[in-house]
Amino acid sequence: MKRFLSVLLVFVLVCGMVPLAQAESAIQPRDSAFFSSYGTTLSRQGGGTIKIVFGATGMGICNTLGVATYQVERLDDEGHWENCSGLLNGQMGSNVGSYTFSRYFYGVPGEVYRVNVVFFCSIDGEIEHKTYTSRRIEA
């Protein structure tokens, strides 16, 4: 009898979890119909120089994929981010599934920086932009 109750309890618990798992996945929409991933990697090169690597992967072959614009920000003494590069043009690839490129930023050693990026993707005449802010790094 105990075995029967244990099996029944396990069965009831498993059956109860299946609708929850299905409901949870149905509630959370896909983040993007165009991008499967996008982001930046910042690395210190020495002497205040930071290497910024931009990368984006589309959902299949994209007509255009890459970075529309970006800007570098510096953390000031009061804890506020200030634009120190102006708005810069990125690079894009044509008829690609993924696109990566890098830029160097020449900052001040010891200062803290981050990058704000607008990623761009077009597929069959439709367009999507995604904004992204990198992690911070000390130059």
Side-chain angles (χ1 to χ4, degrees):
M1 185 65 168
K2 285 183 181 180
R3 183 174 176 185
F4 174 75
L5 288 175
S6 297
V7 170
L8 181 63
L9 181 59
V10 168
F11 178 75
V12 169
L13 287 173
V14 169
C15 289
M17 291 176 7
V18 169
L20 288 176
Q22 289 175 344
E24 186 174 332
S25 64
I27 292 171
Q28 298 176 351
R30 177 182 280 167
D31 184 42
S32 171
F34 293 80
F35 292 95
S36 64
S37 65
Y38 54 90
T40 63
T41 302
L42 306 179
S43 58
R44 226 180 337 232
Q45 302 295 297
T49 302
I50 299 170
K51 183 177 183 180
I52 308 165
V53 179
F54 303 90
T57 303
M59 302 292 276
I61 299 299
C62 306
N63 300 104
T64 307
L65 178 65
V67 172
T69 60
Y70 69 98
Q71 65 184 22
V72 180
E73 296 179 326
R74 182 184 68 85
L75 187 62
D76 68 17
D77 294 335
E78 297 174 5
H80 300 103
W81 290 102
E82 62 181 22
N83 181 349
C84 61
S85 68
L87 192 60
L88 303 169
N89 291 324
Q91 282 186 341
M92 295 194 208
S94 297
N95 300 315
V96 295
S98 64
Y99 191 74
T100 303
F101 74 99
S102 62
R103 291 280 194 261
Y104 289 93
F105 176 77
Y106 303 98
V108 177
E111 297 285 346
V112 177
Y113 297 92
R114 72 179 185 185
V115 180
N116 288 317
V117 185
V118 177
F119 287 94
F120 177 89
C121 182
S122 70
I123 300 174
D124 296 332
E126 297 197 33
I127 295 171
E128 184 172 46
H129 296 89
K130 288 290 187 178
T131 59
Y132 177 86
T133 301
S134 73
R135 67 175 179 83
R136 60 175 62 191
I137 189 169
E138 183 177 323

